[in-house]
Amino acid sequence: MKYSRIGSARNRAQYGFTPAPSLIITLLMLMATRFSLSRSAHFCLKTPAFSRPTTKNLLQCRSCPLWSSSFALCLHTLPKSTPPSPHHRRKTIAVRSFCPAPGSISDHPTKMSTTTSDDNPLLKDFYFPPFDSIEAKHVRPGIRALLKQVDEDLEALEKTVEPTWPKLVEPLEKIVDRLTVVWGAVNHLKSVKDNPDLRSAIEEVQPEKVAFSLKLGQSKPIYNAFKAIRESPDWESLSDARKRIVDSQIKEAVLSGIALEDDKREQFNKIEQELAKLSQKFGENVLDATKKFEKLITDKKDIEGLPATSLGLAAQTAVSTGHEKATAEDGPWIITLDAPSYMAVMQHAKNRTLREEVYRAYINRASDGDLDNTGIIDQILKLRLEKAKLLGYNNYAEVSMAMKMATVDKAEELLEKLRSASWDPAVKDLEDLKEFCKSQGAPEADDLNHWDITFWSERLCESKYELNEEELRPYFSLPRVMDGLFSLVNMLFGINVEPADGLAPVWNNDVRFYRVNDSSGSPIAYFYFDPYSRPSEKRGGAWMDEVVSRSRVLSLDGASARLPVAHMVCNQMPPVGDKPSLMTFREVETVFHEFGHALQHMLTKQDEGLVAGIRGVEWDAVELPSQFMENWCYHRDTLMGIAKHHETGESLPEDIYKKLLTARTFRAGTLSLRQLRFATVDLELHAKYVPGGSESIYCVDRRVSKRTQVLPPLPEDKFLCSFSHIFAGGYAAGYYSYKWAEVLSADAFSAFEDAGLENEKAVKETGHRFRETVLALGGGKAPLEVFVQFRGREPSPEPLLRHNGLLPATASA
């Protein structure tokens, strides 16, 4: 199937042309916190699907609202800024963003730093954010001083603006960059080092931040200047990147309410303020509800089946909560709803009563008492619909699609094609599971429920493929996995990743810092890596986020572009005792996934900061590099390079590798339907649901589930209350993007298969082409054009269906 273009927007099949996100949207998204990106899990080691949903940070994964074996989460936050190479000498820039060498203060203080407290780290120049010294007490005065400065700069620009790049876009990018970098650092700390004081401070200044974002997005002088550029005789001489920036700014200004009459614009702004508050509260409730659940277990019989690594984590958690003598062998143990603990219970606990208790707690997070998100969801949907109507759209889904590749119809068309291909295989999955349970004499064989699915799927996987996720952990130590990942990207893209700990301040001692060098040894990017779960202060899920982006305008030396910086955050099991962090295969895939996002951010060659890296890439295309990287976990040389026993150094046995390949499509139909449920209910709520009407949000989910779940959800299932992707992140009417981009990523990887995965020369050549297109061009060119430039044709869903073992079903359909 091919994706056609629609109007000025490309088809949603994967890449189309919709303008890059504007500055106002960038700011509002940052304000709403990050995005989490979730992926679909394909095979048994990922843990079979149990009906539960969502993740965090929107792009997919927070506290992992949607955590499940069919999820890998991923957070993806919008624009931030990017630091320069430490070798660059700092140059004073009109409106500051980042500046002096790491750890130093600029010799030339910016205008802002002379008007505020000298001891506030948010108001000093820096290459890398001072994560080790930012505290809640700095947020109110720091953000307010910053807002005052950028507001003055905006007013000055409005008085002098001209329809030229130097007089419009460059000063505008400088104004926005400083605020996005600082606000991004503050919100990042809230995600990884949450505490009541920080929450309170952010909540207090957020309305002021939103007010400035709205003022910027509704600036008539800036809007008119962009329109003048668009209508000028010089338009055709502009580069593709600049054309996309101009088109994006014009469209985003309209979507930001610039064309509304005064009273309607005032109403629009009130809606934006309220939505910001509600989204933040939604995410906080999910995190607090996740942290609230703790199950103390003292009888070893109650946790029978849990592997040693999980028992060690449960005992470690018990020690941290006051049970100082807790041990993995003798307990006591504490089970939580944090992903590593929750998943271990669902996969391995023989105690069915425990599985049921934990499952019910998980699917009902943030659905009662002071943390109940039901009313917040209703209010969010009501306000989003009001906003859409004010802008002249029929529903919020149309507003969302205005800046994406797809249309509502095209997204629904893709979801239905995938659903029809997945349904029969999913029915067979459940039948096979029931038969297996009967063969094992399981009492629940005739009454399988959601808390049984993951457990028995794991047993079936072990029986069918002789694979045991826990027995594989010793082969996947974090240090070895990272070494293998870095070796892979060296071979594919000609880059070298080296430790640079100490170069930049970090927020936790477990955080690592890395420098990315080109083949000549020169630095081209940096990134932080925060791998371990910290349920008391850190959101669940996994995500990549920008710290700063590549930018010519914000060059630190006046010559070369400022270098990009990213952070990658995961939530895997930390080291237990003297053992390193030993990973499940799903966690290995998660690291590869997030690094795919980071690569698109770090390897961009786009110097226009507003469309560099992941900026300006249509939302329904941004998952391409991340899902593409997951495929390499099944590549023999890559996997065998990282799969070494952490004690003996023994390689993963060849027969186990072959079983991993065979098991890749295990329960693919079920896992595909799981994501299709989330994507479909998202579109239903934003395209057809009428707030306050005859149907409740839960009625909508039940209706969707009849077509997307072979085993119906429990009547009391309220997963929507933790669906952070769409209610606290950037995936509203956009969750379909995961499947949309999955088509692209599978087709992109098929180019390497066509070249021959065992042909290193051909793989390197194809990798170079992938780097020079998908990774290098960023949002400077329409995604569909980028894909065609790499692949030589438009995308096809055939490789995805083939990889998932669903092609025969689709062909017959």
Side-chain angles (χ1 to χ4, degrees), residues 1-3 11 407-419 683 740:
M1 121 182 143
K2 293 187 178 179
Y3 301 97
N11 201 325
T407 62
V408 176
D409 289 344
K410 287 296 180 180
E412 290 177 340
E413 179 185 344
L414 175 65
L415 295 180
E416 176 55 27
K417 286 184 178 180
L418 296 177
R419 190 203 67 80
L683 283 182
W740 192 275

Side-chain angles (χ1 to χ4, degrees), residues 658-674:
K658 291 179 179 178
K659 290 173 182 175
L660 278 173
L661 289 183
T662 305
R664 185 178 186 181
T665 59
F666 180 68
R667 294 179 61 76
T670 298
L671 298 178
S672 175
L673 283 185
R674 178 176 178 74

Side-chain angles (χ1 to χ4, degrees), residues 531-551:
Y532 308 132
S533 169
R534 295 189 299 276
S536 65
E537 64 178 11
K538 182 179 176 183
R539 290 181 183 272
W543 64 93
M544 169 267 165
D545 207 349
E546 291 186 23
V547 180
V548 298
S549 69
R550 183 180 175 90
S551 172

Side-chain angles (χ1 to χ4, degrees), residues 98 120-122 124-126 128-135 185 189 505-506 528:
F98 268 167
N120 193 322
L122 296 176
K124 295 181 179 180
D125 285 338
F126 46 75
F128 307 111
F131 287 121
D132 59 341
S133 58
I134 298 173
E135 299 178 24
L189 286 176
V506 296
Y528 304 81

Side-chain angles (χ1 to χ4, degrees), residues 48 85 93 143 163 232 238 271 323 340 383 420 486 513 592 598 601-602 679 698 792:
S85 160
I93 305 176
I143 295 298
S232 74
L238 293 183
I271 289 173
H323 302 273
L383 291 173
S420 64
F486 297 157
F513 190 71
F592 274 60
H601 176 62
M602 296 188 297
Y698 304 116

Side-chain angles (χ1 to χ4, degrees), residues 354-521:
L354 175 63
R355 295 201 308 266
E356 179 180 357
E357 178 182 357
V358 173
Y359 176 81
R360 287 181 180 277
Y362 192 86
I363 64 170
N364 286 299
R365 284 175 304 153
S367 65
D368 61 10
D370 294 339
L371 302 177
D372 191 353
N373 273 338
T374 304
I376 291 178
I377 293 174
D378 284 332
Q379 189 64 7
I380 287 175
L381 292 173
K382 177 176 177 290
L383 291 173
R384 284 175 177 169
L385 181 58
E386 287 183 18
K387 173 181 172 179
K389 298 285 189 181
L390 280 173
L391 294 174
Y393 290 89
N394 294 314
N395 53 62
Y396 186 78
E398 291 181 357
V399 176
S400 173
M401 300 293 186
M403 296 300 290
K404 294 183 173 67
M405 294 170 57
T407 62
V408 176
D409 289 344
K410 287 296 180 180
E412 290 177 340
E413 179 185 344
L414 175 65
L415 295 180
E416 176 55 27
K417 286 184 178 180
L418 296 177
R419 190 203 67 80
S420 64
S422 304
W423 182 262
D424 288 346
V427 171
K428 182 67 163 55
D429 288 344
L430 186 58
E431 292 173 351
D432 290 347
L433 201 58
K434 289 179 178 178
E435 288 301 315
F436 177 72
C437 286
K438 288 180 182 178
S439 73
Q440 301 302 301
E444 61 264 37
D446 294 322
D447 184 32
L448 277 186
N449 218 313
H450 293 281
W451 45 86
D452 303 314
I453 300 299
T454 299
F455 176 82
W456 283 109
S457 293
E458 193 68 20
R459 307 291 80 77
L460 175 57
C461 183
E462 293 168 357
S463 172
K464 188 173 183 177
Y465 303 105
E466 296 181 328
L467 286 173
N468 181 294
E469 182 175 56
E470 288 302 314
E471 291 178 1
L472 288 179
R473 274 190 192 267
Y475 289 95
F476 297 116
S477 67
L478 178 61
R480 176 74 70 172
V481 169
M482 298 307 290
D483 285 347
L485 174 58
F486 297 157
S487 294
L488 172 66
V489 296
N490 172 259
M491 185 268 289
L492 289 176
F493 310 127
I495 59 173
N496 295 294
V497 181
E498 63 180 24
D501 297 306
L503 181 61
V506 296
W507 53 92
N508 183 281
N509 289 336
D510 290 329
V511 176
R512 300 295 308 277
F513 190 71
Y514 294 91
R515 175 168 48 229
V516 180
N517 300 323
D518 62 19
S519 57
S520 69

Side-chain angles (χ1 to χ4, degrees), residues 718-756:
K718 293 185 177 179
F719 101 85
L720 287 172
C721 287
S722 58
F723 199 170
S724 296
H725 282 76
I726 68 171
F727 296 120
Y731 278 87
Y735 198 88
Y736 74 90
S737 299
Y738 282 104
K739 302 309 287 185
W740 192 275
E742 207 174 342
V743 170
L744 295 179
S745 63
D747 199 353
F749 187 74
S750 71
F752 290 82
E753 294 175 320
D754 293 346

